[in-house]
Amino acid sequence: MAAGPKERWVVETLYETEGFTCSFRADEVRYEEETGQQHLVIFDNALFGRMMALDGITQVTERDEFIYHEMMTHVPILAHGRAGNVLIIGGGDGGILREVVRHKSVEHVTMVEIDPAVTDFCKKHLPGISAGAFDDPRLDLVFADGAKFVEEADRKFDVIIVDSTDPVGPGEVLFREAFYRAAAGCLTPGGVIVTQNGVPFMQGAELRGTIEKFGRIFKVASCYLATIPTYVGGPMAMGWGTDDASLKDIPLAELEARFAAAGFDTRYYTPEVHKAAFALPRYVRDIAEA
Ligand code: SAM
């Protein structure tokens, strides 16, 4: 359907060079800025609610954000079982932070976001994503490049969640082996790192790259899947790196006990979905284990 005379459509440009774009009608633009790090736009769409895009790439939508944030957070924390210290790299909208602080067992969470504008404008224009989590007393919010932070960190973490943009712009450094090695150096024994690793059907090389690098750093290098409608192209991969092989195979009964003890409801995550997320379709296994 052709755009109307005054309609604005925000184009998803992640796959533009490959010859694919999709677009979201912006019924109302709430904020738009060149932040100095990246182009940020927050707008309302009839189907997905309020959305944010950075450098033309969809980051978060009110309608489907719960899937990504629950699966990036509860899988590593419940698999670990004793996560007291959590590090979030990126995550400016606060969705990962919101899910992390639901775990009363987490004593301290450090969040390292490169662009304060993202946090400022998401708190103001997308408050439902962080839902007050930025006020949690356990939070240490650091505005810095995540790659530099892990190079210089003098603290260790049980779980590291890399909620980055795609490997373009400021996010590119978070896909390099040097970052993964430095992050591995910040993990406690038996700790686990998970990474936003794109949609393998569209970005197979990105997942392959991370798994290869993880393979040179950790005893276990793998991924798990969840399908987020606005990350187009099928299920999205979440990179998994750890030296503790048992974390990927926690028995269902144990996950159920841990989830029950955590004492909160979810809309996507369940212990069964957690287990199933590691069952990779052949085409993803061929990418991840090539
Ligand atoms: N869920 C989204 C996705 O899957 O693409 C990611 C959401 S979150 C908005 C991504 C965040 O990573 C942004 O706030 C961005 O500013 C931040 N970021 C990008 N590069 C970074 C870096 N080098 N260090 C820290 N944060 C970074």
Side-chain angles (χ1 to χ4, degrees):
M1 184 179 77
K6 289 206 174 12
E7 283 178 349
R8 167 153 178 206
W9 291 72
V10 175
V11 181
E12 163 80 54
T13 57
L14 184 55
Y15 308 111
E16 200 166 28
T17 46
E18 292 85 348
F20 171 84
T21 64
C22 62
S23 50
F24 301 89
R25 191 182 65 226
D27 299 318
E28 175 135 13
V29 175
R30 296 287 172 174
Y31 201 84
E32 188 160 16
E33 183 194 3
E34 277 298 344
T35 71
Q37 289 287 355
Q38 49 209 338
H39 174 265
L40 174 150
V41 59
I42 295 176
F43 61 96
D44 292 344
N45 171 270
L47 184 57
F48 291 106
R50 193 154 296 177
M51 300 180 57
M52 174 177 64
L54 291 175
D55 286 340
I57 301 168
T58 308
Q59 299 296 311
V60 66
T61 89
E62 279 179 330
R63 180 124 185 253
D64 67 4
E65 57 83 15
F66 68 95
I67 303 171
Y68 173 82
H69 293 128
E70 287 182 14
M71 288 301 281
M72 279 284 280
T73 305
H74 305 316
V75 171
I77 288 181
L78 292 173
H80 185 283
R82 308 172 314 285
N85 278 289
V86 175
L87 171 62
I88 302 168
I89 302 285
D93 49 59
I96 298 287
L97 176 63
R98 178 195 74 215
E99 293 301 312
V100 168
V101 297
R102 298 177 80 186
H103 291 268
K104 293 304 162 238
S105 56
V106 168
E107 292 143 18
H108 194 85
V109 50
T110 301
M111 176 170 153
V112 184
E113 163 58 52
I114 198 166
D115 192 345
V118 178
T119 301
D120 292 347
F121 293 112
C122 285
K123 272 199 269 190
K124 187 154 180 256
H125 298 289
L126 276 164
I129 305 289
S130 55
F134 284 111
D135 299 328
D136 193 293
R138 292 169 287 174
L139 171 63
D140 177 14
L141 179 56
V142 177
F143 291 118
D145 179 339
K148 286 201 177 56
F149 178 86
V150 292
E151 288 284 346
E152 297 155 6
D154 55 4
R155 280 175 276 169
K156 299 276 182 190
F157 304 91
D158 305 304
V159 169
I160 299 178
I161 300 172
V162 186
D163 177 23
S164 71
T165 40
D166 289 90
V168 288
E172 190 275 329
V173 70
L174 302 181
F175 290 79
R176 291 184 192 160
E177 186 157 344
F179 165 68
Y180 292 146
R181 284 191 180 282
C186 295
L187 280 173
T188 53
V192 57
I193 180 173
V194 299
T195 54
Q196 183 283 104
N197 248 121
V199 175
F201 190 82
M202 310 287 266
Q203 303 163 283
E206 179 187 309
L207 175 63
R208 178 88 214 102
T210 294
I211 301 273
E212 253 174 12
K213 293 162 193 165
F214 275 14
R216 291 193 286 268
I217 300 167
F218 299 103
K219 292 196 180 92
V220 178
S222 187
C223 67
Y224 61 101
L225 302 177
T227 299
I228 297 99
T230 48
Y231 299 157
V232 295
M236 167 180 220
M238 293 151 184
W240 179 267
T242 180
D243 285 339
D244 182 345
S246 72
L247 295 190
K248 204 156 92 74
D249 299 311
I250 305 294
L252 179 60
E254 178 59 25
L255 286 177
E256 285 170 337
R258 292 178 186 178
F259 185 48
F264 54 75
D265 290 329
T266 48
R267 296 171 59 202
Y268 186 93
Y269 178 92
T270 70
E272 295 83 355
V273 164
H274 176 143
K275 294 288 285 178
F278 285 93
L280 305 180
R282 166 79 64 194
Y283 82 93
V284 178
R285 240 175 63 192
D286 291 349
I287 294 170
E289 295 168 4

